[in-house]
Each structure stands twice: as C-alpha cells, then as structure tokens.
C-alpha cells in the first residue's frame, strides 16, 4: 500500500523527535504523543493516497479496518524508536533504521510477492512486523479479510513485545538512582554563610 511508508515515517520520525528534542518528557507523555501520531498520520496518508488512487473499493468498514491496522503499525514503529533510545540513548538511530527500514521494507513483500523473495528475505517475511502489516492490509483490500488473522496476530505480537519491553526499561530507569544534585554553595552575606 502506498501509504505504508508514510505510516512508518509518522511513527519513527515522531519518536526520533521526541527522543532528541524532548528527551525530558515522561515515558507516558511520549506514548500519548506517539498514539496521537498513530491516528493522525495514517488518516492523512490514506486521505492523500485515496485522492490519487481511490479507496480501493472499500466501504466505511473496510477503511476503518485499514486505518486500524495502519495505526497499530505506526504505533509499533514509534515504540521501536522509543525502545531503541531506551537501550542505546543518543546512538539509537542506526538501530531504528535497521529494524524499521533496512529489514522491514525488503522483507514485506510489497514490491514483489513473498514467494519470489530470496530465501533470507522469505525467512524474515515469515515473522517480521512489516510483512504482518502488508499482508493484513492486502487481505482486507483484496480478499475481504480472509487469511488476515495469522498476519494480524504477527503484527500484534510485535506491538505487545515492543511496548512490554519499553515499559520494563522505563520502570527500571525510573527506579535507578538519580545523579546527586549539584551541590549549591551557600550564599554569603558580609562574610557569614546564610543557611
């Protein structure tokens, strides 16, 4: 689907901005922003794609299903960005790119059918989140949802695991002892320290 790349961008670019420019925000706040981007991003991308390509013959129910899957995918990409930052700090960008772009796009089976991919990419396709998303969307658009459960489950497992690991690392960092505050020198008034 043409808007799948836009969904990736909405997720991982939002998380990148949050981790670089707003690292001070609480984890809960970051996830609230990612959730908002996960709804708004796919809606905008689908609206633009639909203007040029139509709605793939989908009714309101089908469009809601497509947008729901795209929202889960966008949320996952954002979660991977936050989780990568929790693991590697400022050096997380290469890990995010490896997971969300380098392994994700070639293995999804969007450009060519999965059966025509080289063996390595077929193996990745069998469990990766991008293929779970694309195959679910393909099933909804072209086959009225038949066969979607297996692929939707694949995507759902990734969402659950990424969010769970992020929550665990978030709790760990919240419990970790903070650096002691910078010691303030006492204010001196006429040579006598003021306490």
């Amino acid at each position: 689907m043409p808007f799948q790349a836009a969904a990736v961008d909405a997720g991982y670019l939002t998380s990148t901005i949050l981790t670089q420019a707003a690292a001070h925000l609480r984890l809960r706040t970051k996830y609230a922003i990612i959730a908002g981007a996960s709804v708004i991003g796919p809606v905008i991308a689908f609206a633009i794609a639909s203007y040029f390509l139509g709605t793939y013959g989908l009714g309101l129910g089908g469009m809601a299903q497509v947008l729901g899957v795209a929202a889960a995918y966008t949320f996952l990409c954002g979660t991977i960005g936050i989780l990568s930052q929790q693991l590697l700090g400022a050096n997380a960008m290469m890990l995010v790119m490896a997971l969300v772009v380098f392994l994700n796009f070639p293995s999804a089976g969007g450009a060519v059918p999965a059966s025509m991919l080289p063996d390595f990419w077929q193996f990745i396709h069998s469990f990766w989140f991008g293929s779970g998303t694309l195959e679910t969307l393909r099933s909804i658009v072209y086959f009225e949802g038949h066969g979607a459960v297996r692929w939707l489950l694949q995507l759902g497992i990734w969402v659950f695991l990424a969010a769970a690991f992020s929550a665990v690392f978030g709790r760990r960092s919240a419990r970790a002892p903070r650096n002691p505050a910078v010691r303030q020198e006492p204010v001196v008034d006429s040579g006598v320290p003021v306490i």
Side-chain angles (χ1 to χ4, degrees):
M1 305 292 148
F3 67 95
Q4 188 175 8
V8 168
D9 291 343
Y12 95 85
L13 288 179
T14 301
S15 69
T16 300
I17 291 167
L18 287 174
T19 56
Q20 298 296 320
H24 64 281
L25 292 177
R26 294 177 61 183
L27 190 60
R28 229 180 263 176
T29 305
K30 289 178 184 177
Y31 273 109
I33 294 169
I34 292 290
S38 299
V39 173
I40 295 168
V43 167
I44 292 171
F46 187 79
I48 292 170
S50 297
Y51 178 78
F52 293 103
L53 303 171
T55 60
Y56 308 102
L58 295 171
L60 286 178
M63 284 190 282
Q65 291 172 0
V66 164
L67 290 173
V69 171
Y73 181 57
T74 305
F75 184 79
L76 174 60
C77 293
T79 301
I80 288 172
I82 290 175
L83 179 58
S84 299
Q85 192 272 335
Q86 288 173 302
L87 292 172
L88 299 177
N91 301 316
M93 182 54 75
M94 284 310 295
L95 178 60
V96 175
M97 293 297 287
L99 297 175
V100 174
V101 177
F102 302 144
L103 287 173
N104 195 29
F105 288 166
S107 66
V112 296
S115 60
M116 295 178 66
L117 292 172
D119 291 342
F120 172 78
W121 293 113
Q122 284 188 36
F123 171 70
I124 299 295
H125 180 87
S126 68
F127 66 88
W128 208 253
F129 57 90
S131 56
T133 303
L134 186 68
E135 296 293 352
T136 301
L137 293 174
R138 186 177 283 147
S139 175
I140 292 168
V141 171
Y142 299 113
F143 305 109
E144 298 179 348
H146 296 295
V149 173
R150 175 255 190 268
W151 298 105
L152 191 57
L153 185 61
Q154 181 170 313
L155 174 62
I157 289 170
W158 273 93
V159 172
F160 173 78
L161 289 176
F165 279 119
S166 180
V168 167
F169 286 117
R171 282 193 182 174
R172 231 182 239 174
S173 65
R175 290 181 186 164
R178 309 239 174 207
N179 291 338
V182 176
R183 201 170 163 188
Q184 300 266 340
E185 292 296 324
V187 177
V188 178
D189 182 27
S190 301
V192 179
V194 176
I195 299 178

